[in-house]
């Protein structure tokens, strides 16, 4: 036993003794049959040095973990920073996250399916290291040339370098075994996949750093059980909450580590509830402390991340069209910012109509026709994600008058209108031809000449939640358009048209009348000189409203990430067996090639160790259930196996199994958070398996004999077994 194992064993003995005394106390008058004899206690005291005693002074073994940790850190930094500037061009998703870092530097609003913390940190790292935010990050392979990109890569590499030291500390805390901790750290140091992910401008090293830090803080907090409400107890509790907010602030995958900490906390509270020496008042204090540290504090910090995000990105940019008109009104440079327009829709108004689903787009038309064989050979009507003159429509009466001469009349719930495309003067039209992509829907076209058409141009206005006679409010009313002839609803399907449709979004007429964001629209731009204007500043949403909308948009965006035609979609069962990697850069022999692939030896060893651990856990559980007597280090190892190993196994399951039920497109790199837990479990279980004879007994020659089965495990001359 090294110093940490002795201390761990002492803690278990002390905890058992405390529980034993509590049991005796709660059974007053009863004989304490299991109280250890003085001889046994004296023998134990001779074997195991206690805290505060002379034997607990620092020894040479106590410094071994420190020296080893320094070695782990140095190796980790060296492997991550080696050739950090190569290749000097954009690799894989650097085209996204590097560009988003530039947006933060330029304060330009954009949309992404992930929370903002990771991109903000990338932008900050670039800003602090001299990057000016001017590189366009158009596509992989673009040369960085004179642009200062190394700072953003170095920041990600620095956080990636923290993973092996964190793994070392976690496994050391769980197993109190330096060899086990060193094995776990080595697996991450020399894993080619972890190195690759850490060397580029990506969210993954940032996410994994927060996940590992969360687990380390949780484990450290668990060691403070005998010192409740002390400074160290509060420190590790609050730091756990801080790290949890960071994990969720980078990617929604951070929810999995939050769930892990939540399960650990629930078991901890359940244990405290069963402690009869603890009053309900004290239990309430424990509960409230955890609610504050692990729920309220992370929620406050997570909300603060978005507050900073909204403050920094205050200029109109490519993300405007994904959000509501009210949201856009707060962005400098957007046509809705500090604008004024009529509050209520009227006949004769020129408007833009925006779909309310994520990436639904603006109702749009242009001179191009649907190709032969795709419904009727009439003018295309699509949804376009950007502001454009071809998004303008004129609101007309059903008799085709535009009401330019008489007094203005408001459009109300239940009214029947025509929508004439301003540029081409053709009417919004539908008929019994199937839509180009969504075959159960009907085709929507532009039809007629100079506003003249037929009865298939008539649409009934419905204000969602309204009643007959209610006016249509600009920006605020959710509106649906019911086609009078067919009974279908104007819809943005969200599907991307082929090149003949300029890869814009398909607009259809849906026979399903249920209210969905696909069939809901709002009036955004509104021009009518006969109506009084109001300032749109009164329509600006509150912080909580834009926070809520941002999450709705992100969730819908994530669910909308489907594989495109001929795009490779990785399967979760591929990941643990290292079935297929991911190309980061280059495709032929003349290009600088980077390929994301885990070290096969390490990954297959992790897979084997998972099976080995489950087997050992089953045997240990059966032995405990059958009442097999466990004393000394055997008890320590069983405790480590079931509690420490069980927690790591749960972490692996939580970060891996949910991907089987996700409908979005998946990639190989999604497995790496789970891989961290399997590597730590390998270190704990392999070391336990290799050295279990030390606890459970062995026969045959001594380890110094080459013929001994333990000879290969005598790594130090001072080990006399």
């Amino acid at each position: 036993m090294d110093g940490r194992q002795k201390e761990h064993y002492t803690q278990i003995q002390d905890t058992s003794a405390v529980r034993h005394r509590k049991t005796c106390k709660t059974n007053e008058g009863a004989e304490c049959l299991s109280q250890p004899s003085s001889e046994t206690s004296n023998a134990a005291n001779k074997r195991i040095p206690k805290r505060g005693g002379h034997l607990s002074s620092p020894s040479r073994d106590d410094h071994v973990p420190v020296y080893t940790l320094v070695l782990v850190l140095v190796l980790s930094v060296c492997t991550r920073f080696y050739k950090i500037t190569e290749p000097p061009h954009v690799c894989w998703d650097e085209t996204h996250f590097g560009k988003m870092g530039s947006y933060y530097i330029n304060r330009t609003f954009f949309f992404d399916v992930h929370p903002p913390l990771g991109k903000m940190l990338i932008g900050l790292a670039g800003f602090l290291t001299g990057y000016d935010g001017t590189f366009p990050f158009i596509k992989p392979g673009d040369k960085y040339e004179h642009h200062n990109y190394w700072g953003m890569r170095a920041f990600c590499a620095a956080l990636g370098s923290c993973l092996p030291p964190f793994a070392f500390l976690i496994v050391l805390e769980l197993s109190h075994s330096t060899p086990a901790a060193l094995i776990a750290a080595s697996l991450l140091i020399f894993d080619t996949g972890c190195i690759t992910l850490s060397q580029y401008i990506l969210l993954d090293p940032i996410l994994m750093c927060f996940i590992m830090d969360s687990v380390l803080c949780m484990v450290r907090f668990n060691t403070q059980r005998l010192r409740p409400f002390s400074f160290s107890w509060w420190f590790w509790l609050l730091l756990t909450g801080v790290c949890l907010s960071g994990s969720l602030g980078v990617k929604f995958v951070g929810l999995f580590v939050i769930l892990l900490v939540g399960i650990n906390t629930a078991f901890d509270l359940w244990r405290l509830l069963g402690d009869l020496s603890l009053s309900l008042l004290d239990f309430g204090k424990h509960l409230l402390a955890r609610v504050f540290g692990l729920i309220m504090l992370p929620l406050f910090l997570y909300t603060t991340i978005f507050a900073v995000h909204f403050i920094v990105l205050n200029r109109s940019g490519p993300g405007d069209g994904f959000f509501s008109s009210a949201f856009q009104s707060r962005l400098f440079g957007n046509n809705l910012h500090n604008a004024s327009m009529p509050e209520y829709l009227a006949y004769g108004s020129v408007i833009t109509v925006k779909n309310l689903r994520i990436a639904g787009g603006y109702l749009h038309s242009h001179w191009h026709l649907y190709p032969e064989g795709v419904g009727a050979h009439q003018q295309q009507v699509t949804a376009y994600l950007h502001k454009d003159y071809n998004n303008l429509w004129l609101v007309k009466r059903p008799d085709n008058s535009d009401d330019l001469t008489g007094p203005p009349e408001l459009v109300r719930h239940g009214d029947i209108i025509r929508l004439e495309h301003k540029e081409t003067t053709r009417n919004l039209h539908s008929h019994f031809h199937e839509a180009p992509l969504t075959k159960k829907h009907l085709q929507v076209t532009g039809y007629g000449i100079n506003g003249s058409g037929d009865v298939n141009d008539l649409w009934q206005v419905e204000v969602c939640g309204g009643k007959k006679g209610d006016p249509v409010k600009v920006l605020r009313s959710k509106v649906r358009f019911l086609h009078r002839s067919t009974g279908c609803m104007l819809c943005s399907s969200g599907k991307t048209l082929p090149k003949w449709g300029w890869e814009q979004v398909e607009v259809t007429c849906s026979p399903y009348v249920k209210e969905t964001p696909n069939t809901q629209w709002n009036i955004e731009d509104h021009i009518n000189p006969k109506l009084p204007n109001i300032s749109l500043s009164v329509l600006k949403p509150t912080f909580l409203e834009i926070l809520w909308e941002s999450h709705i948009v992100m969730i819908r965006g994530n669910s909308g990430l489907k594989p495109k035609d001929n795009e490779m979609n990785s399967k979760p069962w591929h990941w643990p067996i290292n079935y297929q990697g991911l190309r980061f850069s280059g495709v032929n022999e003349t290009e600088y090639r980077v390929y994301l692939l885990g070290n096969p030896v390490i990954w297959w060893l992790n897979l084997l160790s998972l099976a080995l651990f489950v087997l050992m856990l089953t045997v240990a559980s059966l032995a405990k259930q059958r009442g097999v007597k466990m004393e000394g280090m055997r008890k320590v190892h069983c405790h480590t196996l079931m509690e420490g190993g069980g927690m790591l196994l749960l972490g692996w399951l939580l970060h891996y199994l949910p991907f089987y039920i996700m409908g979005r497109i998946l990639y190989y790199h999604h497995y790496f958070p789970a891989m961290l837990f399997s590597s730590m479990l390998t270190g704990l279980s392999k070391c336990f398996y290799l050295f279990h004879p030390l606890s459970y007994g062995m026969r045959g020659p001594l380890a110094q004999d080459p013929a001994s089965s333990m000879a290969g495990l005598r790594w130090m001359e001072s080990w006399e077994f």
Side-chain angles (χ1 to χ4, degrees), residues 20 31-35:
H20 177 77
E31 185 177 2
C32 228
L33 298 177
S34 61
Q35 184 170 352

PDB file of all heavy atoms in Angstrom, residues 20 31-35:
ATOM      1  N   HIS A  20     -20.713   2.905  13.112  1.00  0.00           N
ATOM      2  CA  HIS A  20     -20.877   1.911  14.161  1.00  0.00           C
ATOM      3  C   HIS A  20     -21.295   2.584  15.464  1.00  0.00           C
ATOM      4  O   HIS A  20     -22.214   2.141  16.145  1.00  0.00           O
ATOM      5  CB  HIS A  20     -19.563   1.144  14.348  1.00  0.00           C
ATOM      6  CG  HIS A  20     -19.622   0.133  15.465  1.00  0.00           C
ATOM      7  ND1 HIS A  20     -20.254  -1.069  15.316  1.00  0.00           N
ATOM      8  CD2 HIS A  20     -19.132   0.179  16.735  1.00  0.00           C
ATOM      9  CE1 HIS A  20     -20.148  -1.753  16.449  1.00  0.00           C
ATOM     10  NE2 HIS A  20     -19.480  -1.009  17.324  1.00  0.00           N
ATOM     11  N   GLU A  31     -26.736  -4.263  23.496  1.00  0.00           N
ATOM     12  CA  GLU A  31     -25.313  -4.565  23.502  1.00  0.00           C
ATOM     13  C   GLU A  31     -24.730  -4.396  22.110  1.00  0.00           C
ATOM     14  O   GLU A  31     -25.318  -4.813  21.131  1.00  0.00           O
ATOM     15  CB  GLU A  31     -25.105  -6.000  23.974  1.00  0.00           C
ATOM     16  CG  GLU A  31     -23.629  -6.360  24.128  1.00  0.00           C
ATOM     17  CD  GLU A  31     -23.453  -7.762  24.659  1.00  0.00           C
ATOM     18  OE1 GLU A  31     -24.474  -8.427  24.847  1.00  0.00           O
ATOM     19  OE2 GLU A  31     -22.316  -8.165  24.866  1.00  0.00           O
ATOM     20  N   CYS A  32     -23.615  -3.743  22.042  1.00  0.00           N
ATOM     21  CA  CYS A  32     -22.957  -3.496  20.764  1.00  0.00           C
ATOM     22  C   CYS A  32     -22.097  -4.705  20.453  1.00  0.00           C
ATOM     23  O   CYS A  32     -20.919  -4.747  20.788  1.00  0.00           O
ATOM     24  CB  CYS A  32     -22.114  -2.230  20.860  1.00  0.00           C
ATOM     25  SG  CYS A  32     -22.379  -1.135  19.502  1.00  0.00           S
ATOM     26  N   LEU A  33     -22.706  -5.714  19.804  1.00  0.00           N
ATOM     27  CA  LEU A  33     -22.007  -6.978  19.613  1.00  0.00           C
ATOM     28  C   LEU A  33     -20.838  -6.870  18.663  1.00  0.00           C
ATOM     29  O   LEU A  33     -19.881  -7.632  18.758  1.00  0.00           O
ATOM     30  CB  LEU A  33     -23.003  -8.025  19.089  1.00  0.00           C
ATOM     31  CG  LEU A  33     -24.165  -8.350  20.049  1.00  0.00           C
ATOM     32  CD1 LEU A  33     -25.099  -9.345  19.383  1.00  0.00           C
ATOM     33  CD2 LEU A  33     -23.649  -8.906  21.376  1.00  0.00           C
ATOM     34  N   SER A  34     -20.930  -5.917  17.703  1.00  0.00           N
ATOM     35  CA  SER A  34     -19.895  -5.878  16.670  1.00  0.00           C
ATOM     36  C   SER A  34     -18.747  -4.955  17.014  1.00  0.00           C
ATOM     37  O   SER A  34     -17.906  -4.684  16.185  1.00  0.00           O
ATOM     38  CB  SER A  34     -20.510  -5.424  15.340  1.00  0.00           C
ATOM     39  OG  SER A  34     -21.052  -4.132  15.480  1.00  0.00           O
ATOM     40  N   GLN A  35     -18.701  -4.424  18.266  1.00  0.00           N
ATOM     41  CA  GLN A  35     -17.635  -3.501  18.609  1.00  0.00           C
ATOM     42  C   GLN A  35     -16.297  -4.215  18.585  1.00  0.00           C
ATOM     43  O   GLN A  35     -16.131  -5.266  19.191  1.00  0.00           O
ATOM     44  CB  GLN A  35     -17.893  -2.924  20.001  1.00  0.00           C
ATOM     45  CG  GLN A  35     -16.879  -1.873  20.395  1.00  0.00           C
ATOM     46  CD  GLN A  35     -17.308  -1.155  21.665  1.00  0.00           C
ATOM     47  OE1 GLN A  35     -18.411  -1.364  22.126  1.00  0.00           O
ATOM     48  NE2 GLN A  35     -16.427  -0.342  22.199  1.00  0.00           N
TER      49      GLN A  35
END
